Amino acid sequence: MKSSEIFNPTLREVPSEAEIVSHQLLLRGGFIRKTSGGVYSYLPLAFRVLKKIMNIVREEMDRAGGQEVLMPIIQPAELWQESGRWVVYGDEMFRLKDRHNRSFALGPTHEEIITTIVKQDVHSYRDLPLLLYQIQNKYRDEIRPRFGLMRGREFIMKDLYSFDMDEAGLDLSYKKMHEAYKRIFERMNLKYRVVEADSGAIGGNESHEFMVLASSGEAQIVYCDNCHYAANVEKAQCQAQEAVKAKSIVVKALEKIHTPGVRTVDDVMQKLAVPIESIAKTLIYWADGEYVGAVIRGDRELNEIKFKNILRCNELVIADEKQIREVLGISVGSLGPIGAKFKVYADQEIEFMDNFICGANEDGYHLINVNMSRDFVPETIADLRNAVKGDSCPVCSAELDTIRGIEVGHIFKLGTKYSEVMKASFLDNNGQEKPFIMGCYGIGVSRTMAAAVEQNHDENGIIWPIPIAPYQVIIVPVNTKKTEQMELAWSLYHQLLGLGLEVIIDDRDERAGVKFKDADLTGIPLRITIGPKALQEDKVELKKRWEKETVLVAIENIVEEINRILKQY
Ligand code: ATP
Ligand code: MG
């Protein structure tokens, strides 16, 4: 392809709306354009990358026994009502009506559709296992579409659904997908980590996420180098004995003290000159129609996912301060577990804290020398906080570390969650009717493209991993007016094309500096520069995008050298 003909309108300036590197570089490199919030058009270079990602995904899904299908984006409300998710999915679902006033959704995911298809046409254990997948646009009206392709409202996903006759079958399907996903991210040359993930309030079911490691990642990963435990912080367990620290000897008498103007944990620390570890804070939430309070140590972060799982509620939102004042007659800063007018849930660490400080459920007062075993009985004592660096590993007790990642894949054992409510069953080998045992497995294809950029770039632009680069090689003749340079450029171009490689020739009448800048920005892995000086010695320059140095290679060897490098990937 000639540079002069490729449609990749590059931008010199960093677009102001782009907060993270992948968004900036994909816009600047002319890969994508925004059509609406969270809705993007993929221009030719981006579409080439996406097709490569999709091909790798497709090959691995097929290898694992998946069969590709294509399901509708428009999904009738009835199917979602059947599963109960028409309501549960809430505002994240794009809804529309047809001319007859019938309701539809733009598919955010396809469990309802696939379960219906399989229920209608699969009746015997002999037809199982069945693994069906598609690669298609998904629609989610995210609260905060952001970071370009990372969190779009329209995005490309691969979703596979497995149907098995029993748990053992599901285990096998799950394992196959787990392996396939590892191969996919390895083949793309991405640094990634598989982590245990939260599987929601249903509980018991297994779930893993595949995280591309990048400092800008939204996900916090907690991992152990000693035993390979790794989990999303949403899920990572904290050990109860963690809390046994500085055990004080005397349990002192409970006391109420006057603390006018003291509202936050910081205020308490300053006013009472105490360490943050001796304070318990009470966070109040609105959970499916009632107020609930979570008590955690002052320096800890409440893990809302864990809390939600304990409460087994649908909706959990932090309570409105004004409302709390109206309903309970106190400000949120004065809340505490003793004498509370709401259900109290205590983090397991609280049990091990002695003589601690908390709100008195009365404005302007705090309680000191609080001891849970003596002073209050919570609804439940549970693991409610986020794990942090330095906590001990739940498997081997070594110290945990943290790292950030981007969730690009998610695999999930569903069990009978959908097959039961949607009455999707088959006859087993005893002629007994059984619900299908299901699993679902997603990869964010467009998000993976952005994650690859997030992980692989420098100050000059993108450094595409070779297996997903839009083109593999770019040939840059320094001066297009020099026939000698152009002849060699075209000759190399045709030789490389002849080997089946994907090559760009920069035939534009631009300064070399401009051409180099563009090649760096768009991230083409290998650059051959044809300039007058090297040419005198029958050489060309070879630059690997991921290395700083340029090397001189004899013209007669360059094609072989390029081929050799690319073959390694
Ligand atoms: P998240 O927690 O990031 O919202 P999710 O748990 O909702 O993700 P799944 O329903 O498991 O995501 O979807 C499978 C995959 O689709 C995710 O692992 C992710 O790579 C991708 N994905 C999900 N939501 C989006 C989005 N809004 N934009 C781009 N990709 C997405
Ligand atoms: Mg989501």
Side-chain angles (χ1 to χ4, degrees):
M1 189 76 186
K2 294 183 199 166
S3 281
S4 59
E5 290 174 359
I6 296 180
F7 179 54
N8 69 313
T10 53
L11 308 170
R12 292 282 162 249
E13 302 295 318
V14 179
S16 60
E17 84 258 28
E19 291 164 84
I20 60 170
V21 168
S22 59
H23 191 193
Q24 293 168 359
L25 292 177
L26 289 171
L27 283 169
R28 280 188 54 212
F31 287 80
I32 58 170
R33 284 296 179 262
K34 179 167 143 183
T35 298
S36 164
V39 180
Y40 287 84
S41 298
Y42 306 108
L43 304 189
L45 291 186
F47 196 47
R48 290 180 71 96
V49 175
L50 288 172
K51 280 189 284 190
K52 289 199 173 172
I53 296 174
M54 290 192 256
N55 279 341
I56 292 174
V57 169
R58 196 170 266 134
E59 278 174 25
E60 295 304 329
M61 290 298 105
D62 290 346
R63 186 205 296 267
Q67 300 178 58
E68 191 168 5
V69 296
L70 189 58
M71 290 181 269
I73 285 169
I74 294 197
Q75 310 187 354
E78 292 75 36
L79 296 185
W80 288 82
Q81 280 151 357
E82 216 181 309
S83 73
R85 288 208 291 181
W86 183 252
V87 176
V88 175
Y89 222 99
D91 290 340
E92 213 174 285
M93 185 184 260
F94 275 108
R95 295 160 206 258
L96 65 153
K97 291 207 163 160
D98 71 4
R99 64 174 74 203
H100 307 295
N101 209 31
R102 284 189 291 246
S103 296
F104 291 84
L106 295 184
T109 175
H110 279 71
E111 282 84 4
E112 279 76 1
I113 306 279
I114 196 87
T115 306
T116 306
I117 294 170
V118 170
K119 156 174 143 178
Q120 284 163 352
D121 288 296
V122 180
H123 304 294
S124 163
Y125 73 96
R126 287 194 196 87
D127 303 322
L128 303 176
L130 184 59
L131 277 62
L132 300 171
Y133 77 96
Q134 63 174 350
I135 300 177
Q136 192 204 38
N137 280 353
K138 292 278 184 282
Y139 297 84
R140 295 183 185 177
D141 198 357
E142 300 273 358
I143 301 189
R144 273 188 301 279
R146 58 195 170 143
F147 304 148
L149 302 183
M150 286 293 177
R151 189 165 292 285
R153 297 198 295 166
E154 174 180 272
F155 59 96
I156 307 173
M157 198 205 283
K158 182 286 302 179
D159 43 329
L160 183 143
Y161 304 88
S162 67
F163 294 82
D164 278 283
M165 58 182 183
D166 53 22
E167 288 293 334
L170 172 59
D171 287 348
L172 196 61
S173 295
Y174 191 84
K175 195 159 165 261
K176 278 188 194 161
M177 282 302 123
H178 195 282
E179 291 304 314
Y181 274 41
K182 287 206 298 208
R183 290 180 61 94
I184 287 168
F185 296 110
E186 264 149 38
R187 281 183 62 183
M188 289 185 209
N189 260 353
L190 295 173
K191 289 185 267 316
Y192 72 100
R193 213 163 182 139
V194 192
V195 305
E196 288 179 17
D198 172 64
S199 53
I202 316 298
N205 291 340
E206 210 176 333
S207 174
H208 286 90
E209 285 163 340
F210 289 72
M211 300 280 191
V212 163
L213 304 179
S215 54
S216 62
E218 278 189 291
Q220 175 92 352
I221 300 167
V222 176
Y223 70 96
C224 174
D225 264 337
N226 192 45
C227 75
H228 304 299
Y229 171 79
N232 189 322
V233 75
E234 292 176 350
K235 161 93 177 174
Q237 293 157 256
C238 301
Q239 298 228 62
Q241 62 267 40
E242 193 94 45
V244 191
K245 275 178 196 154
K247 198 146 181 58
S248 64
I249 300 134
V250 204
V251 172
K252 299 184 192 156
L254 183 68
E255 225 182 288
K256 186 161 97 178
I257 55 165
H258 192 38
T259 50
V262 172
R263 301 176 59 85
T264 63
V265 169
D266 275 353
D267 292 347
V268 177
M269 278 169 72
Q270 282 185 10
K271 168 92 183 176
L272 305 180
V274 290
I276 196 161
E277 294 84 5
S278 66
I279 302 167
K281 59 185 174 192
T282 303
L283 305 171
I284 189 147
Y285 279 76
W286 180 248
D288 285 355
E290 66 171 337
Y291 287 117
V292 290
V295 186
I296 57 173
R297 206 173 82 180
D299 56 335
R300 301 304 192 187
E301 250 176 49
L302 178 75
N303 183 317
E304 291 185 4
I305 305 236
K306 289 180 183 174
F307 195 25
K308 201 170 165 185
N309 289 345
I310 303 266
L311 296 168
R312 294 183 159 265
C313 65
N314 262 328
E315 186 200 29
L316 182 73
V317 285
I318 190 119
D320 181 70
E321 283 193 32
K322 233 177 92 202
Q323 260 178 14
I324 290 297
R325 170 151 284 293
E326 275 165 25
V327 178
L328 303 178
I330 38 174
S331 59
V332 288
S334 304
L335 295 171
I338 301 175
K341 294 197 190 100
F342 45 86
K343 283 186 187 157
V344 170
Y345 294 80
D347 180 60
Q348 56 193 6
E349 225 171 16
I350 300 293
E351 206 179 350
F352 298 94
M353 285 169 68
D354 300 298
N355 302 322
F356 64 84
I357 300 156
C358 64
N361 285 317
E362 190 179 335
D363 275 349
Y365 289 92
H366 277 79
L367 297 173
I368 60 169
N369 303 330
V370 182
N371 292 274
M372 189 175 104
S373 55
R374 179 193 64 194
D375 300 328
F376 66 98
V377 182
E379 207 67 33
T380 306
I381 302 169
D383 172 15
L384 290 180
R385 69 170 173 95
N386 278 339
V388 291
K389 186 180 166 81
D391 276 357
S392 51
C393 170
V395 176
C396 74
S397 294
E399 257 193 34
L400 291 172
D401 209 340
T402 56
I403 191 169
R404 298 205 81 88
I406 300 163
E407 180 201 320
V408 287
H410 195 174
I411 61 175
F412 205 114
K413 286 186 181 173
L414 294 169
T416 56
K417 182 174 177 201
Y418 295 94
S419 51
E420 262 177 20
V421 281
M422 299 187 75
K423 301 188 179 58
S425 57
F426 64 97
L427 295 180
D428 73 4
N429 55 356
N430 297 317
Q432 275 202 339
E433 203 173 318
K434 293 261 172 73
F436 292 104
I437 312 291
M438 294 170 56
C440 69
Y441 316 84
I443 289 184
V445 172
S446 43
R447 185 184 281 184
T448 298
M449 170 158 77
V453 176
E454 220 43 66
Q455 189 178 78
N456 301 282
H457 66 267
D458 62 13
E459 64 284 3
N460 298 320
I462 303 172
I463 307 174
W464 287 112
I466 287 173
I468 59 171
Y471 287 88
Q472 298 160 320
V473 187
I474 181 162
I475 301 170
V476 182
V478 167
N479 186 343
T480 45
K481 296 205 175 72
K482 299 274 185 216
T483 27
E484 195 190 12
Q485 289 183 29
M486 285 315 284
E487 270 171 14
L488 179 58
W490 280 113
S491 158
L492 292 178
Y493 178 74
H494 289 297
Q495 287 179 61
L496 293 169
L497 281 189
L499 293 172
L501 302 182
E502 297 160 297
V503 194
I504 299 176
I505 179 166
D506 196 340
D507 59 333
R508 296 174 304 165
D509 184 15
E510 290 276 6
R511 282 181 298 115
V514 171
K515 296 185 187 184
F516 294 159
K517 266 212 162 76
D518 283 347
D520 279 354
L521 177 60
T522 46
I524 310 304
L526 299 174
R527 187 180 86 202
I528 302 171
T529 308
I530 301 173
K533 242 171 85 193
L535 216 49
Q536 275 177 2
E537 300 171 34
D538 289 329
K539 287 183 176 157
V540 291
E541 285 175 16
L542 173 62
K543 171 123 186 354
K544 298 174 183 162
R545 178 66 185 84
W546 63 96
E547 283 178 3
K548 286 269 171 285
E549 302 308 316
T550 301
V551 289
L552 285 175
V553 180
I555 293 171
E556 59 188 34
N557 295 335
I558 186 70
V559 172
E560 199 188 306
E561 176 64 5
I562 294 274
N563 203 27
R564 192 188 62 79
I565 297 168
L566 293 178
K567 268 214 181 113
Q568 296 169 0
Y569 294 95

